[in-house]
Amino acid sequence: MMPPLGIRWTIGDVNPAGFDALRLSIHGAMRLFGSEAAYRIYVNTIPVDEARRRVGAIADAVQWLPVDSDIPPLLRTYLGDGMAEGVAWKLLPLRAFPDQFELSLDNDVILWRIPPAMTQWLRSGDAAASLIAADVAAAFGQFTDLCAPVARNSGIRGLGPATAFERGLERVLRIKPVALRSELDEQGLQIAVLDHLGSPLLVETSEVTICSPFYPHDPELGRSGAHFVGLNTRVLPWDYYGKPATEVRLAHWHAVRPQVHERLGLDPPQQ
């Protein structure tokens, strides 16, 4: 038996491929966790109705909310004007399901099997247990010195109902009271908090690959899922072996989409 679970995503005005990935991420989560879980998407920078339209028919199966523009006092001091580079959208609100196990997925994380570490997190009986995804390289921004030297990313983050996430944030920001300037700072902050609270369980990259055509990422799908990093960006401002990186990124996505659909039990995608 799984404990009560809430799953949350955050989406903004990203590349259309990012909305395609979100659609498949919803399909995957609902296929794995069914009607017993709660599903919620927080929308920033675009109207909720527009985000729903871009996702398609499955949008009706989940709850959609605008991100509350009222930044928690705990974070307000550390955020610059304009939420530079989308920093901290994934922290608004701090908890979506405070009385449940809460799984936060990036919109470009698609699961077709529950990773073993996630099963362990949900069945451990430890309401304070947490979960994070492994990565192929460590990128923690200004919080590097507060994070254990293990490559991880916040594309998958799990909090138990008794995980003292807000208290951990307050503690880490007291130790390092710096303004968040990038998504790496946001990621490093979250991982520093989980390290401070205890050793989070780790979803290995063999289970959920950091999936892109760019080394050191893995172009192949994992046993349990894939995190399609870089898919949200409208323009990658560099070339990869003489080709525009944006074109290379999208070509890889379109090449693996049929496999993703198959693993989710969906009809082949329309080209």
Side-chain angles (χ1 to χ4, degrees):
M1 290 291 293
M2 295 287 191
L5 175 66
I7 302 175
R8 64 184 286 180
W9 295 264
T10 297
I11 193 72
D13 191 17
V14 300
N15 190 303
F19 281 92
D20 189 22
L22 175 59
R23 176 180 63 83
L24 296 175
S25 185
I26 298 167
H27 272 290
M30 296 190 73
R31 179 171 175 264
L32 293 174
F33 298 105
S35 60
E36 297 302 312
Y39 303 91
R40 186 178 299 166
I41 300 173
Y42 291 96
V43 181
N44 63 77
T45 69
I46 59 173
V48 169
D49 287 346
E50 174 60 18
R52 291 174 59 106
R53 184 192 67 79
R54 295 185 193 183
V55 164
I58 199 170
D60 294 337
V62 300
Q63 182 184 22
W64 296 76
L65 291 174
V67 170
D68 191 341
S69 59
D70 186 17
I71 298 170
L74 172 63
L75 291 175
R76 191 177 298 130
T77 304
Y78 305 100
L79 298 178
D81 294 337
M83 302 277 282
E85 291 190 34
V87 175
W89 287 126
K90 289 192 290 187
L91 295 173
L92 303 179
L94 293 178
R95 291 295 301 258
F97 305 97
D99 299 321
Q100 299 174 244
F101 278 78
E102 178 177 304
L103 178 63
S104 175
L105 297 176
D106 278 5
N107 66 289
D108 50 8
V109 171
I110 303 170
L111 301 177
W112 39 83
R113 193 182 80 154
I114 303 176
M118 192 175 293
T119 299
Q120 183 181 351
W121 169 63
L122 289 168
R123 291 182 172 170
S124 67
D126 183 358
S130 61
L131 178 78
I132 202 72
D135 207 331
V136 294
F140 305 139
Q142 299 179 86
F143 295 91
T144 298
D145 60 327
L146 299 183
C147 298
V150 178
R152 290 160 294 168
N153 76 81
S154 56
I156 299 173
R157 187 198 70 197
L159 304 175
T163 304
F165 189 60
E166 183 170 357
R167 189 165 71 242
L169 276 171
E170 186 176 13
R171 167 74 172 161
V172 168
L173 289 170
R174 275 206 310 268
I175 296 171
K176 187 173 283 289
V178 296
L180 305 184
R181 298 194 298 257
S182 73
E183 290 182 349
L184 297 185
D185 288 345
E186 178 196 74
Q187 174 167 276
L189 173 59
Q190 293 179 72
I191 291 171
V193 169
L194 297 189
D195 283 347
H196 169 71
L197 294 174
S199 299
L201 294 165
L202 194 65
V203 177
E204 299 289 353
T205 55
S206 57
E207 292 295 333
V208 178
T209 52
I210 309 302
C211 191
S212 96
F214 307 127
Y215 182 84
H217 299 159
D218 189 339
E220 303 299 328
L221 304 179
R223 288 190 290 266
S224 298
H227 183 178
F228 294 96
V229 292
L231 198 61
N232 288 329
T233 306
R234 289 184 177 275
V235 178
L236 296 169
W238 40 279
D239 286 352
Y240 192 70
Y241 290 97
K243 295 182 179 180
T246 307
E247 294 181 11
V248 175
R249 168 69 279 196
L250 291 175
H252 173 265
W253 168 244
H254 289 295
V256 299
R257 279 174 77 226
Q259 297 176 58
V260 174
H261 274 241
E262 181 179 4
R263 296 195 186 195
L264 294 176
L266 298 173
D267 291 337
Q270 297 180 351
Q271 299 298 326

